Amino acid sequence: MFMSASWARPFRYKHTSPAKFYVSNGGQKEVHMMEMSRHIAKFWHSKELEVKFLELPFTTENITMIFILPDAKHGLSSMKGTIENYINHKQFSKRKVHIKLPKFSTQITLDLVSFLKEKGVKSLFNSSADLSGISLQKGLSVSSLRQKVFINVTEKGVEAASATYGIMNKMLQTAKMPEEIEEFIADHPFLFFLREKQNNMIVFIGQFVG
């Protein structure tokens, strides 16, 4: 799968500049930080989860990108609860936001087995799996399922590509906008995901740690 989408309101290249980014091991590195001031965006600061949510739309209205920034500089590893607490969070409101986001490219491989099991998909991974649609062999199940993701975030928008692959094994017995300006300064590790809105489906999910 390949996707290329332009921000509904692109960042201006002239506002991108070098800035410090606080990496996970306690150090710092220099990144190219994109910036936009007084941008009207869907935003929410959850005191309960101790994170800020920012949703940025594309010209393609059915896809949106959401960034999840912990309040603490090194808060990504100690985020409360499961990932579903964050990706299913919908308490946004339109606000004026001062945004700083790193310009970045990353490639990650996601293990989808634990995620799908948490969502209730379990029979696929044991002896009750029904894979007759792809093979006549009996006793097959899925032992691993991974998604390889490449994503490139720039002033213009986002390019993303993925390939999902699995391995089968023979089973062995088994409201009104306030005037104040919010701050979303992503100068430390954060989560991000792309959501397809019509079916409320997560297309990509990842993290940027510098």
Side-chain angles (χ1 to χ4, degrees), residues 141-180:
S141 68
V142 175
S143 61
S144 68
L145 189 63
R146 295 184 175 89
Q147 183 180 56
K148 184 171 286 187
V149 176
F150 165 80
I151 192 162
N152 184 35
V153 178
T154 68
E155 293 90 348
K156 183 180 178 181
V158 172
E159 289 184 339
S162 74
T164 303
Y165 55 94
I167 301 173
M168 292 187 297
N169 279 352
K170 180 77 173 178
M171 290 297 298
L172 300 176
Q173 308 295 325
T174 61
K176 183 182 177 180
M177 194 188 315
E179 287 301 314
E180 65 267 21

Side-chain angles (χ1 to χ4, degrees), residues 4-7 9-18 31-37 101 103-104 152-159:
S4 179
S6 299
W7 300 120
R9 183 184 173 188
F11 292 82
R12 293 187 178 181
Y13 290 96
K14 67 179 182 180
H15 292 160
T16 298
S17 60
V31 299
H32 286 89
M33 191 74 76
M34 306 182 296
E35 185 172 7
M36 192 182 299
S37 61
L101 282 174
K103 180 178 178 177
F104 67 92
N152 184 35
V153 178
T154 68
E155 293 90 348
K156 183 180 178 181
V158 172
E159 289 184 339

Side-chain angles (χ1 to χ4, degrees), residues 105-118:
S105 295
T106 186
Q107 180 172 300
I108 54 177
T109 300
L110 306 174
D111 187 345
L112 300 180
V113 173
S114 58
F115 176 79
L116 290 173
K117 284 183 176 179
E118 287 177 3

